[in-house]
Amino acid sequence: MPQEDLNILDFIVDEPAIAGSCAEPWKVLIVDDDHDVAATTSLVLRDVEVEGRPLNLLSAYSAAEAKKVLSQHPDVGLALIDVVMETPNAGLDLIRYIREDMGNKLIRLVVRTGQPGHAPEQSVITDYDISDYKEKTELSAQKLFSLAYAGLRSYQQFLAMEQSRRGLMKVLQASTALFEEPTLDGFAGGILENLESLANLHRGTGEKIGSSAVLAVADENSGSAENFNVVAGHGAGARARTLSEMTLGPTDKALIQELATRGPGIHTSRSEDALLAGIVGRAGQTSLLFLPELQDLDGPDAQIVEVFIGQVLTAFENLRLHDQTERAQREIVLRLGEAVETRSGETGRHVSRVALYAREIADNIGLSPSRSELLFRAAPLHDIGKIGIPDAILCKPGKLDDDEWTAMKAHTTIGYEMLRSSDMPILRLAARIALEHHEKWAGGGYPNNLVGEDISVEGRIVGLVDVFDALTSERVYKKAWTVERAVQLIRDERGKHFDPRIVDAFMDNLETMIDIRKTYSDAVSL
């Protein structure tokens, strides 16, 4: 998955932007068909400030006009609405329109009526989602001030809750998308991509922060930035190889040193110019997020970012440990396969080439990436059973007699029996490949004379590439064939020894196969 696909803003349906910048005035809408009432209300409220922010007073003289104003200003925080305007229930119909048709649950709505008998307070409060109900005769200047202050403060609280809700939803969606990323590098890049998006949820285009960040790892608990290798970087961190190549202030360095003294867990610190978040594993391995410009995050934004960091750092550390385990597993499998080949006088490069050839063909015929990768890891053990073949047979420079050939063919079942009882997918597949890679598409192979689709596709793939590599390599009993001669034999055996589909995939990728052969030549030292 490309890193650009991991941006969480691509995984959700766009929602209307939520206003709330401290530099902006509160928007208050006065809806009343009596121009004198609207003008008086504006006069009383024009100098009011709520939480240090002035009011931007908007007026509409009918419900229809109010709808237009609201469509142009979806961030109105408070609306004072008359009931009787162009129709007896125009104000009440407007309230229902705002809540249901517009889907605006944040704006605080106050009913103001000069005809309380037409719209009784109890029924209106019961049937409509409003914040307050007032008769026009009771609204003095002081009460208008209190009404505006209480309404906008309530809007601010609802706004904060909605911002937190949306932020947490984005954290959930970002985490879900990231956890589907199979590679360590892709996951690391996705963390930085989404952190930048989360930090800027409520910021305008010119207010963006956090464009420079890195995720670095150290295999042991270290207080030195030089020991942290960068696995993903943005902005100024994109070219950094170690954390020391970033611009680190004295406090940053001190916090990194302090992290080395912490026990297992997630630890967050702030310097004068960066937010640092690290996770220390039980064995002392450490993963560290260095996030310049995010040190001043506060309120809901800070909470959202901290929740996301806690989730993804834990997941990243687990993925890193899993990746280390898999790499160690593959290294063991490869070295074991090489050891077996070396014993028979062949170089360890044979098993590396077979694995690479096999993956290319698996990708070409449409096997899933995970199945192709598993084949790549299991293929080096295709001849593991040769460990049970006597040296006198395995290393004989001439042709084997019938008894020797019978003994040699047993390497397929020996390898299968060695591996088949494992509960590890890589070894279970290696067992089947060891058993089947000398079977033939049309029958006549060994050990079980299988035919066609009865042979696993992995066995068929390894069977072909093993022959190709063996023919084009020198052995104790033969000289190497030319590539052209080996390719001609494979063509001739299409539908006989080899699965036609596998032959076609091999031919389609012949240039790649030859490149692998040259790159991993026996003449090149390991």
Side-chain angles (χ1 to χ4, degrees):
M1 180 185 297
Q3 288 186 14
E4 58 268 22
D5 292 343
L6 289 173
N7 191 315
I8 59 173
L9 301 179
D10 295 334
F11 284 86
I12 61 175
V13 176
D14 288 340
E15 299 182 64
I18 299 176
S21 169
C22 292
E24 297 177 356
W26 301 106
K27 292 182 181 180
V28 177
L29 176 61
I30 302 165
V31 186
D32 202 306
D33 63 347
D34 188 326
H35 286 237
D36 291 338
V37 171
T40 301
T41 303
S42 296
L43 182 65
V44 170
L45 295 178
R46 67 180 181 179
D47 295 324
V48 171
E49 289 191 359
V50 177
E51 304 290 347
R53 294 169 60 182
L55 306 187
N56 179 7
L57 300 172
L58 308 171
S59 295
Y61 303 105
S62 67
E65 190 177 341
K67 291 178 182 179
K68 293 180 181 178
V69 173
L70 287 168
S71 68
Q72 296 168 355
H73 301 274
D75 53 349
V76 169
L78 173 65
L80 310 179
I81 301 175
D82 189 13
V83 174
V84 180
M85 292 183 284
E86 64 264 48
T87 65
N89 291 316
L92 298 180
D93 292 340
L94 175 61
I95 290 168
R96 199 176 299 281
Y97 170 83
I98 292 170
R99 295 303 193 208
E100 296 180 4
D101 294 353
M102 291 185 65
N104 189 337
K105 306 296 184 183
L106 295 178
I107 185 174
R108 301 297 86 201
L109 302 176
V110 176
V111 167
R112 294 198 307 170
T113 181
Q115 303 177 44
H118 176 73
E121 180 175 356
Q122 184 172 347
S123 63
V124 171
I125 289 177
T126 301
D127 296 338
Y128 295 87
D129 181 6
I130 63 173
S131 303
D132 207 346
Y133 178 103
K134 296 293 183 183
E135 295 181 23
K136 292 182 181 179
T137 55
E138 66 176 306
L139 283 175
S140 63
Q142 181 59 49
K143 287 186 177 180
L144 267 175
F145 169 81
S146 299
L147 177 66
Y149 210 103
L152 288 171
R153 179 179 281 170
S154 174
Y155 171 72
Q156 184 180 40
Q157 292 168 346
F158 273 81
L159 188 67
M161 288 189 290
E162 180 64 9
Q163 288 174 339
S164 295
R165 182 193 71 80
R166 291 190 184 185
L168 290 173
M169 284 297 296
K170 290 177 188 285
V171 166
L172 179 61
Q173 290 160 344
S175 301
T176 301
L178 274 175
F179 295 157
E180 293 174 355
E181 170 56 50
T183 69
L184 192 65
D185 290 345
F187 191 92
I191 289 175
L192 300 186
E193 194 80 32
N194 287 303
L195 269 174
E196 184 178 349
S197 295
L198 290 170
N200 291 292
L201 274 178
H202 310 121
R203 296 177 183 272
T205 303
E207 302 174 318
K208 299 292 186 181
I209 60 173
S211 59
S212 296
V214 298
L215 175 56
V217 299
D219 289 332
E220 57 184 28
N221 209 340
S222 173
S224 173
E226 288 81 2
N227 292 333
F228 280 87
N229 295 313
V230 172
V231 294
H234 277 185
R239 296 183 179 277
R241 291 170 298 176
T242 67
L243 192 57
S244 61
E245 296 177 22
M246 296 293 291
T247 302
L248 301 176
T251 307
D252 299 325
K253 295 177 181 179
L255 291 174
I256 293 171
Q257 289 179 339
E258 182 185 340
L259 184 63
T261 67
R262 301 280 188 93
I266 296 176
H267 309 286
T268 303
S269 305
R270 296 170 189 256
S271 68
E272 62 275 4
D273 53 14
L275 171 66
L276 290 84
I279 181 169
V280 180
R282 290 188 179 87
Q285 72 278 1
T286 305
S287 301
L288 176 66
L289 280 166
F290 179 70
L291 307 169
E293 303 178 11
L294 301 194
Q295 72 279 3
D296 294 326
L297 278 180
D298 57 9
D301 288 349
Q303 294 172 353
I304 289 164
V305 166
E306 287 175 6
V307 168
F308 181 71
I309 286 174
Q311 285 189 330
V312 297
L313 272 185
T314 300
F316 175 77
E317 186 61 23
N318 290 337
L319 184 60
R320 187 160 80 100
L321 291 174
H322 178 71
D323 182 70
Q324 289 176 337
T325 301
E326 284 203 335
R327 283 192 288 115
Q329 181 187 79
R330 181 173 178 272
E331 183 76 9
I332 291 169
V333 167
L334 185 60
R335 296 303 177 190
L336 186 57
E338 289 174 349
V340 172
E341 298 300 331
T342 302
R343 179 170 171 260
S344 62
E346 301 161 14
T347 74
R349 287 276 164 147
H350 168 68
V351 295
S352 296
R353 291 192 298 265
V354 165
L356 291 164
Y357 297 145
R359 183 166 62 183
E360 288 293 330
I361 291 179
D363 290 341
N364 183 272
I365 66 173
L367 294 190
S368 68
S370 59
R371 192 173 178 186
S372 177
E373 183 66 19
L374 190 63
L375 170 59
F376 172 68
R377 297 182 180 192
L381 293 179
H382 65 281
D383 275 338
I384 187 67
K386 286 183 178 178
I387 201 169
I389 305 301
D391 287 346
I393 296 175
L394 198 61
C395 303
K396 184 177 179 179
K399 183 178 179 180
L400 301 179
D401 62 30
D402 290 345
D403 291 339
E404 290 169 335
W405 179 236
T406 299
M408 176 62 86
K409 289 192 294 184
H411 81 276
T412 55
T413 53
I414 293 172
Y416 175 72
E417 292 299 329
M418 287 175 62
L419 304 174
R420 70 183 181 87
S421 60
S422 174
D423 59 359
M424 296 176 64
I426 184 174
L427 296 184
R428 289 203 303 269
L429 178 58
R432 189 161 189 183
I433 291 171
L435 184 67
E436 296 178 349
H437 72 286
H438 285 295
E439 299 288 355
K440 297 182 179 181
W441 177 255
Y446 65 88
N448 295 315
N449 194 25
L450 299 179
V451 176
E453 299 285 347
D454 290 340
I455 310 165
S456 69
V457 66
E458 291 88 354
R460 283 176 266 150
I461 291 172
V462 173
L464 186 151
V465 298
D466 182 41
V467 167
F468 171 72
D469 197 73
L471 290 175
T472 54
S473 300
E474 187 172 343
R475 294 289 186 263
V476 294
Y477 52 86
K478 74 171 190 66
K479 295 293 184 181
W481 286 23
T482 64
V483 169
E484 293 75 16
R485 184 183 176 191
V487 168
Q488 186 58 53
L489 180 139
I490 290 171
R491 285 198 182 100
D492 293 343
E493 289 295 320
R494 184 181 185 275
K496 303 172 188 175
H497 188 150
F498 305 120
D499 177 354
R501 183 170 64 131
I502 306 301
V503 172
D504 294 343
F506 177 84
M507 295 303 173
D508 289 343
N509 285 270
L510 184 57
E511 191 172 319
T512 301
M513 301 299 172
I514 293 172
D515 286 343
I516 291 172
R517 171 94 208 147
K518 292 177 180 177
T519 302
Y520 295 88
S521 166
D522 292 334
V524 179
S525 60
L526 285 170

